[in-house]
Amino acid sequence: MRLTRYFLPVLKETPSEAQIASHRLMLRAGMIKQAAAGIYSWLPLGFKVLRKVENIVHEEQARAGHIPIQMPVLQSADLWRESGRYDDYGEEMLRMKDRHGRDMLYTPTAEELVTDIFRAHVGSYKDLPLTLYQIQWKFRDEIRPRFGVMRGREFYMKDGYNFDLDYESAIHAYNRHMVSYLRTYERMGLQAIPMRADSGPIGGDDTHEFLVLAETGESEVFYDSAITTLEFGEREVDFDDRDACAAIVKEWTTPYARTDETHDETLFAQVPQERQRRSRGIEVGQIFYFGTKYSEPMGATVQGPDGKPVPVHMGSHGIGVSRLLGAIIEASHDDKGIIWPEGVTPFHCGIVNLKQGDEEADAASEAIYSSLKALGLDPLYDDRDERAGGKFATMDLIGLPWRITVGPRGLKNGVVELTSRRTGESEEMPPEQAVERIAQIYAPHFSSGSGVEPMANRSFHTWL
Ligand code: ATP
Ligand code: MG
């Protein structure tokens, strides 16, 4: 993309309404615009990152064997009356009537709707296990929407639902979700720690929240620092292997890690003192096992092996897709702006032409731009007729992890500069070598089928 052809409405001033870095930076980098309290339009740069995050979620769900669907945002109240949640949910549910006076609502979550799909179409234990999920907009009329996309009223969420014959199978589904979430967050450059949590209004026995450590997080967390040294990495996991999934879950749930809701001082005191940490965290996901809470009242049964109907065991599993953008920025920024991890960066690399209009600098910049594109990479070329300082400031603000700087002086010696946004370190090298280096940096993301691969280069979404 050439910056002169793009729509990147960066702000010079720091918006006064934004209290935390991610909110300020998303507004300043022209990623989002508030449409109403807690409701945002996604501008090109923000939309691009949102899609990358979403794509990683889809790919990792596909890897775990989960099946994507799409359910409507507007739902009839009738199903929610069956489960009893229409009255229980309270003010957070946005309710409305259609022209016939029927009660409708904007989905805050979708257990009822997916259970209705299940009971209509699945009749036998032989059709299990089944996990359906969607990534869809949700609405919760939060009393205090704040921090931009972190606590919106409208937000984008992955919600998945497992249907299993018995407790053991449902716990395997729970474990499978935990394992796939660990991999999902790591691909986004995040460490999200599973912490034992409280089940809240959805109700349930087993639940973990995934928290990204950040001073600005809304949850108070207590953990053994040993958990922060765990890494999922490139492990190959057979998601049908119950023992393998359980072993990974054990690895991550053995060190103490809890939110304030479930924190236990006596247990925490058993963690060696030098490893005890009290901090804050951002909840970017949650998994629940809740058994037959919905299947029983809604009559979602299957015929068991003995021919008798049994209510299915269920769980629901969420990822805060839009909140993740805020969490990634909270975890990765500096005074100058955002620092995107390679896995989710909106463009792979920036090209800054120090002297637009200079024949050689223009030609070299164009050549780098087209070579990167020919390799399937997605560069952003700042081809504006602007001072170098302004161009650097924009690149630093929008946070592309790599920048190639092209100027007449370097070109006289046959070199351009390759700069890491994270370390600020620069290296001079011939233009072809800079292109080669960028290709190498992103190679692992391409071969693992990561979300950094431009959608246009895909046969089609691999997760469908
Ligand atoms: P919170 O405790 O932050 O209100 P929750 O526990 O009610 O969230 P869940 O029902 O677990 O939310 O939803 C799954 C995920 O959706 C959460 O882990 C979070 O990342 C995200 N999420 C929930 N509420 C919001 C919101 N208002 N704005 C943005 N993301 C949200
Ligand atoms: Mg939650």
Side-chain angles (χ1 to χ4, degrees):
M1 179 58 67
R2 293 166 200 279
L3 197 43
T4 53
R5 306 265 177 91
Y6 202 43
F7 179 57
L8 185 70
V10 298
L11 306 179
K12 293 236 159 54
E13 314 287 306
T14 299
S16 58
E17 75 269 27
Q19 300 161 27
I20 61 170
S22 57
H23 188 195
R24 271 196 301 276
L25 290 170
M26 287 183 81
L27 291 170
R28 283 194 52 216
M31 295 177 66
I32 50 170
K33 180 179 183 315
Q34 183 173 310
I39 303 178
Y40 291 87
S41 296
W42 294 79
L43 306 183
L45 196 74
F47 185 55
K48 221 163 171 214
V49 182
L50 187 68
R51 281 287 177 260
K52 292 217 163 169
V53 168
E54 174 181 12
N55 201 43
I56 291 177
V57 174
H58 274 304
E59 287 179 353
E60 295 306 325
Q61 287 302 301
R63 195 190 301 272
H66 304 159
I67 303 168
I69 58 171
Q70 188 89 104
M71 292 180 276
V73 291
L74 291 184
Q75 301 183 3
S76 157
D78 294 344
L79 282 175
W80 290 70
R81 291 199 172 98
E82 278 187 55
S83 72
R85 278 210 297 180
Y86 190 63
D87 294 326
D88 291 349
Y89 217 97
E91 300 276 357
E92 271 191 17
M93 181 186 272
L94 182 66
R95 299 157 203 256
M96 63 205 97
K97 283 190 194 297
D98 69 9
R99 69 198 297 166
H100 304 292
R102 286 186 288 245
D103 292 321
M104 308 286 290
L105 57 99
Y106 194 122
T107 183
T109 168
E111 281 81 4
E112 284 77 1
L113 204 59
V114 78
T115 304
D116 184 51
I117 293 170
F118 181 89
R119 71 180 170 186
H121 297 291
V122 182
S124 161
Y125 76 96
K126 291 179 190 151
D127 300 322
L128 304 181
L130 178 65
T131 294
L132 300 173
Y133 79 95
Q134 66 171 349
I135 300 183
Q136 178 62 290
W137 293 97
K138 302 290 182 307
F139 195 94
R140 294 183 191 169
D141 204 352
E142 301 273 356
I143 190 159
R144 254 196 339 143
R146 58 180 188 156
F147 300 161
V149 300
M150 290 272 222
R151 184 164 295 286
R153 291 197 297 163
E154 187 185 60
F155 60 97
Y156 206 39
M157 177 176 136
K158 172 260 170 182
D159 44 324
Y161 307 88
N162 69 283
F163 301 92
D164 286 278
L165 180 62
D166 50 32
Y167 175 77
E168 287 72 27
S169 322
I171 289 302
H172 172 55
Y174 184 89
N175 291 345
R176 204 172 59 228
H177 278 87
M178 185 178 293
V179 173
S180 81
Y181 280 24
L182 291 170
R183 206 187 141 94
T184 301
Y185 297 119
E186 260 192 34
R187 277 188 59 187
M188 298 173 189
L190 278 179
Q191 180 166 53
I193 304 174
M195 300 202 182
R196 181 160 288 287
D198 198 36
S199 60
I202 294 189
D205 306 327
D206 262 304
T207 176
H208 280 85
E209 289 177 351
F210 288 77
L211 286 112
V212 172
L213 299 174
E215 279 307 308
T216 47
E218 291 186 300
S219 315
E220 200 181 354
V221 299
F222 303 81
Y223 62 96
D224 174 347
S225 65
I227 201 165
T228 58
T229 62
L230 297 177
E231 202 179 311
F232 193 83
E234 291 298 314
R235 311 177 193 206
E236 285 298 323
V237 182
D238 175 356
F239 281 95
D240 290 329
D241 184 336
R242 292 188 180 198
D243 294 339
C245 289
I248 294 172
V249 167
K250 186 153 180 243
E251 196 181 336
W252 258 270
T253 52
T254 302
Y256 187 92
R258 293 190 179 198
T259 65
D260 54 355
E261 290 164 348
T262 53
H263 179 56
D264 180 329
E265 278 295 343
T266 319
L267 283 178
F268 191 51
Q270 291 166 18
V271 176
Q273 203 156 17
E274 70 280 6
R275 297 206 319 246
Q276 291 178 10
R277 298 282 187 281
R278 292 155 198 269
S279 174
R280 302 195 72 80
I282 302 166
E283 182 194 327
V284 293
Q286 184 160 14
I287 54 177
F288 287 100
Y289 162 74
F290 49 67
T292 58
K293 179 177 155 87
Y294 298 92
S295 57
E296 227 155 333
M298 294 184 67
T301 57
V302 291
Q303 199 175 43
D306 58 2
K308 293 202 187 102
V310 281
V312 285
H313 286 251
M314 292 174 60
S316 71
H317 314 280
I319 293 181
V321 174
S322 51
R323 178 181 285 181
L324 269 165
L325 275 75
I328 293 168
I329 298 174
E330 285 300 321
S332 183
H333 70 273
D334 63 15
D335 297 346
K336 295 186 228 158
I338 303 166
I339 307 173
W340 291 116
E342 271 92 2
V344 298
T345 183
F347 295 96
H348 296 120
C349 143
I351 304 167
V352 168
N353 183 346
L354 292 178
K355 198 158 187 205
Q356 206 69 41
D358 176 272
E359 210 171 307
E360 263 187 72
D362 288 3
S365 302
E366 288 291 339
I368 293 169
Y369 181 63
S370 45
S371 311
L372 287 168
K373 290 197 21 154
L375 291 168
L377 291 156
D378 188 14
L380 180 67
Y381 171 23
D382 190 344
D383 58 344
R384 294 172 305 164
D385 188 9
E386 266 227 20
R387 285 183 314 130
K391 291 191 176 189
F392 288 146
T394 303
M395 282 295 173
D396 285 345
L397 173 63
I398 67 171
L400 309 185
W402 298 93
R403 186 185 80 208
I404 300 176
T405 310
V406 184
R409 213 179 313 154
L411 288 174
K412 281 212 172 63
N413 302 319
V415 294
V416 296
E417 207 175 57
L418 179 65
T419 307
S420 155
R421 173 71 181 85
R422 189 168 295 280
T423 64
E425 280 163 24
S426 292
E427 234 186 291
E428 290 191 335
M429 60 188 77
E432 311 77 56
Q433 202 181 320
V435 168
E436 180 58 27
R437 283 279 290 280
I438 299 289
Q440 277 166 9
I441 288 162
Y442 286 101
H445 296 278
F446 276 75
S447 59
S448 68
S450 114
V452 298
E453 189 170 351
M455 291 245 182
N457 292 344
R458 296 176 163 276
S459 49
F460 196 51
H461 309 315
T462 50
W463 41 267
L464 267 179

